[in-house]
Amino acid sequence: MKRWWITTVPALILSLIMSPAGAAPAAAADVNLARSATPSASYTSSWESVNAINDGIDPPTSNDTANPRWGTWPNTGEQWALLTWPQAQTLTSAQVYFFDDGGGVRVPSSWRLQQWNGSAYADIPGSYPRALNAYNTVTFSAVTTTRLRVLLQSGQGSVGLLEVKAMGQGVPQTGWSPPTGLVTPLNEVWQHVESTYPNLYGFRNYAWDQVMANRGSINYCVRWDSSAPVSATLRDQIQTALSRQFKKWMDVMAGHNGWPYQSVPVKVVGWAVRDRSTLQWSDTSVDVYVNDINENAPQCAPACGRFFNQSGNYPNCPGGIAHHYDMSLWLTSGFAGGAGGDWGQRVGSEYAVSNVNADNMHILLHEIGHSFGLDDFYDWTPTGVCCFVMKAGSATQITDFDAWMLRDWWRHLKNRYGY
């Protein structure tokens, strides 16, 4: 089995494969929806972090010196912190914990919540306490919005926040309740994973980590290792096909065991080619990388790739973090089968093009499974199951067993993200 990683990483799994011849949801309860939002702010002191406001850490005091904080020193006046979701959320209350170090950062003189109504920010009526060393709770009539803003007016100093909770109706959830007939094979699979993955719980670049770092989305760059021309139409078809296959894995997670996202959008942000004339479009909708060759194939800029920058910082990426890619879709002319890992997936370019409108691209589905950590089954088969997409060549779509294997990974990893 050939491995495609170019730096030392755990055996996240690759494969070379050939084409083949629950319980009812519980009632939704109010949950903290802030965890799945993307935070931003009017200003952040260089030594503080806006990511602190929804990192899920409950502060011990307002002068918390042990955990990340958001502060605006030395700026004063009106400041804000914003939570943005990819889909609208229905909120009924919020809890805000102020940062106050007794010096340059103090509790605000006043504050309020605002919701985005589609064209402007609108105040949310309510009573706004300003207590130290405690969450300040504001309850209000339900609002449905994609953005919640905490607007603060400074008083004796600059302002800051330690944590913001946005409470509302979560997706109805199912728990860990696999069908009785799958309990034994699932246990066998996880025991095999624990005994064969050298850094199972320490590794931090599974597709799980990538989705969570992006707050519920994933970026790709396409490595077009072929001389065949690519029209704008084919470019868009490949993005659609990739999104469709990725969505099939994410659909089995929606509403399950605390998984925070109803959907995980996929965006292709770049293409890498040997010759720019191969790409038959002139628009600037994606970044284009020309003749940067690695592993005898064109690659997208390492400075923009998460595989090369697992801290999540991209200081040398042209355009910054918005232009970063988490994984590559490597499409190789004449390549039979597939390979997959934390870096992305590799399949034949002819296979991808000929199946671009297919509902299930079983080779690509298999390789995406590897990016989430799912194993291969070349030399053994779990008890009582025979045919599933991660057993190469035995199924052409995600089966119930595949779905529960994916959920089992989440069950074992979710605590690292605070779920």
Side-chain angles (χ1 to χ4, degrees):
M1 180 186 298
K2 185 173 182 181
R3 300 194 181 277
W4 299 99
W5 289 280
I6 61 175
T7 59
T8 301
V9 299
L12 226 197
I13 315 304
L14 318 163
S15 63
L16 188 63
I17 66 173
M18 304 301 292
S19 303
D30 278 359
V31 295
N32 179 18
L33 301 172
R35 296 299 311 283
S36 62
T38 299
S40 57
S42 53
Y43 174 79
T44 303
S45 307
S46 61
W47 55 91
E48 310 289 13
S49 173
V50 71
N51 291 325
I53 70 171
N54 64 336
D55 62 8
I57 299 174
D58 288 322
T61 67
S62 287
N63 188 19
D64 184 0
T65 59
N67 298 303
R69 312 175 300 191
W70 172 68
T72 64
W73 192 90
N75 287 11
T76 56
E78 187 176 87
Q79 303 290 330
W80 52 262
L82 178 66
L83 296 173
T84 302
W85 292 272
Q87 298 94 22
Q89 308 291 320
T90 298
L91 309 175
T92 55
S93 67
Q95 301 172 21
V96 173
Y97 206 115
F98 295 119
F99 170 27
D100 187 318
D101 62 7
V105 178
R106 302 302 303 270
V107 66
S109 62
S110 63
W111 69 286
R112 63 186 185 275
L113 297 169
Q114 296 181 319
Q115 62 144 327
W116 179 254
N117 63 17
S119 58
Y121 287 101
D123 291 347
I124 297 177
S127 175
Y128 289 89
R130 296 185 302 117
L132 292 176
N133 306 319
Y135 279 102
N136 292 270
T137 299
V138 180
T139 302
F140 43 84
S141 299
V143 298
T144 300
T145 185
T146 57
R147 305 181 207 171
L148 180 69
R149 187 162 74 166
V150 183
L151 197 65
L152 307 123
Q153 183 64 44
S154 66
Q156 299 177 32
S158 299
V159 292
L161 298 172
L162 299 179
E163 192 70 17
V164 176
K165 296 182 179 181
M167 308 303 292
Q169 290 287 300
V171 179
Q173 294 286 312
T174 57
W176 177 251
S177 54
T180 302
L182 297 183
V183 171
T184 294
L186 287 168
N187 287 339
E188 292 173 352
V189 169
W190 196 255
Q191 289 168 8
H192 186 266
V193 166
E194 288 193 317
S195 66
T196 58
Y197 284 39
N199 191 26
L200 173 63
Y201 296 107
F203 187 64
R204 295 282 173 165
N205 199 39
Y206 300 111
W208 303 105
D209 298 298
Q210 299 168 18
V211 170
M212 299 303 289
N214 294 338
R215 309 274 182 171
S217 65
I218 202 84
N219 285 358
Y220 269 85
C221 198
V222 176
R223 302 178 69 178
W224 184 250
D225 192 9
S226 170
S227 61
V230 182
S231 66
T233 298
L234 179 57
R235 173 199 67 192
D236 296 343
Q237 287 176 323
I238 287 173
Q239 156 133 1
T240 299
L242 174 61
S243 298
R244 183 167 57 248
Q245 305 312 303
F246 203 93
K247 181 177 184 295
K248 288 179 181 296
W249 282 113
M250 294 294 89
D251 281 351
V252 307
M253 292 305 305
H256 175 76
N257 204 13
W259 176 250
Y261 304 113
Q262 298 178 48
S263 63
V264 177
V266 173
K267 182 179 181 181
V268 173
V269 297
W271 278 68
V273 291
R274 296 179 186 273
D275 187 336
R276 178 61 180 86
S277 65
T278 304
L279 305 180
Q280 300 181 334
W281 68 79
S282 58
D283 63 66
T284 58
S285 60
V286 296
D287 298 321
V288 174
Y289 304 99
V290 178
N291 207 32
D292 183 354
I293 305 301
N294 186 46
E295 301 165 297
N296 196 33
Q299 71 171 358
C300 307
C304 298
R306 179 180 165 91
F307 182 83
F308 307 96
N309 303 272
Q310 293 184 22
S311 67
N313 297 315
Y314 304 90
N316 299 314
C317 179
I321 193 170
H323 292 254
H324 92 281
Y325 62 96
D326 303 291
M327 290 191 279
S328 294
L329 177 62
W330 186 355
L331 304 178
T332 304
S333 178
F335 188 71
D342 64 315
W343 49 268
Q345 303 84 42
R346 185 184 189 187
V347 299
S349 58
E350 296 87 356
Y351 169 81
V353 172
S354 63
N355 288 278
V356 75
N357 293 315
D359 184 37
N360 289 284
M361 298 172 68
H362 66 275
I363 299 178
L364 183 54
L365 284 171
H366 179 103
E367 305 309 338
I368 293 173
H370 285 325
S371 297
F372 281 96
L374 298 184
D375 208 348
D376 264 322
F377 295 86
Y378 290 124
D379 55 356
W380 75 289
T381 302
T383 301
V385 291
C386 72
C387 307
F388 48 98
V389 80
M390 294 311 299
K391 184 174 175 64
S394 68
T396 59
Q397 61 187 12
I398 295 171
T399 68
D400 203 27
F401 187 58
D402 292 302
W404 281 103
M405 284 195 295
L406 185 73
R407 292 165 177 165
D408 206 10
W409 270 85
W410 171 247
R411 179 168 72 109
H412 286 91
L413 294 186
K414 68 177 187 171
N415 65 330
R416 73 165 57 171
Y417 314 114
Y419 291 96

